[in-house]
Amino acid sequence: MSDPALQSPEMTVAIACDHAGVGLKAALRQDLIAHGYAVLDLGTDGPESVDYPDFAAALAREIEAGRAGRGVLICGTGIGISIAANRHPGIRAALVHDVETTKLCRQHNDANVLALGARVTPEAVARDCLAVFLTTPYEGGRHENRVAKLGPRLSPN
Ligand code: RB5
């Protein structure tokens, strides 16, 4: 199932990147489809230089409108695009470099956007991070007050 129009928001993942993340985005998109998710691919798709805040904003719009439950953002380091994403209400973007921090961003922070750096994280690690991001539940409990203070909870879990 890959047509976003036919899938629930919970099973729809938006993905976007700047020019540094095009290759990794293609690999992660394939993984999402293989895991049964519908993918909203918001670009970019070529090597021309673009500005990562524009792609973070496009992805934030999809999540804030409820059309996607989760998101994946990629730039060279993951830093710029995660900073940009976190300026949008309802986005809890976690920049991760390994499976352990990915697991914790779901369990403790209820992160709804995974941010990755294509120039600093090997593709195999990024793919593992994505799989963990998709399957690790939020723990709630003692984290609830803290996460509530981060802003509105717009995405389904
Ligand atoms: C683009 O060259 C690069 O600055 C961008 O992908 C990202 O790493 C910014 O944080």
Side-chain angles (χ1 to χ4, degrees), residues 10-140:
E10 291 84 352
M11 286 300 292
T12 301
V13 177
I15 189 166
C17 64
D18 75 357
H19 50 283
V22 171
L24 182 58
K25 176 165 71 66
L28 297 185
R29 181 192 162 118
Q30 284 312 112
D31 281 358
L32 286 166
I33 292 168
H35 288 304
Y37 288 86
V39 179
L40 277 175
D41 188 339
L42 305 170
T44 192
D45 295 310
E48 302 79 25
S49 184
V50 295
D51 297 333
Y52 54 78
D54 298 336
F55 291 85
L59 184 136
R61 263 195 304 277
E62 296 303 316
I63 291 179
E64 289 174 339
R67 289 187 288 269
R70 303 259 181 104
V72 179
L73 287 171
I74 309 158
C75 68
T77 59
I79 295 172
I81 209 157
S82 60
I83 292 172
N86 279 317
R87 298 181 71 82
H88 297 269
I91 300 301
R92 296 177 304 283
L95 171 56
V96 303
H97 300 93
D98 54 51
V99 161
E100 182 60 18
T101 49
T102 304
K103 190 174 76 176
L104 288 167
C105 87
R106 285 292 311 133
Q107 290 177 333
H108 291 191
N109 312 111
D110 197 16
N112 57 3
V113 173
L114 182 72
L116 293 158
R119 292 175 178 156
V120 296
T121 302
E123 181 179 306
V125 175
R127 294 178 65 191
D128 287 347
C129 290
L130 176 63
V132 167
F133 178 70
L134 295 172
T135 54
T136 305
Y138 172 51
E139 279 180 359

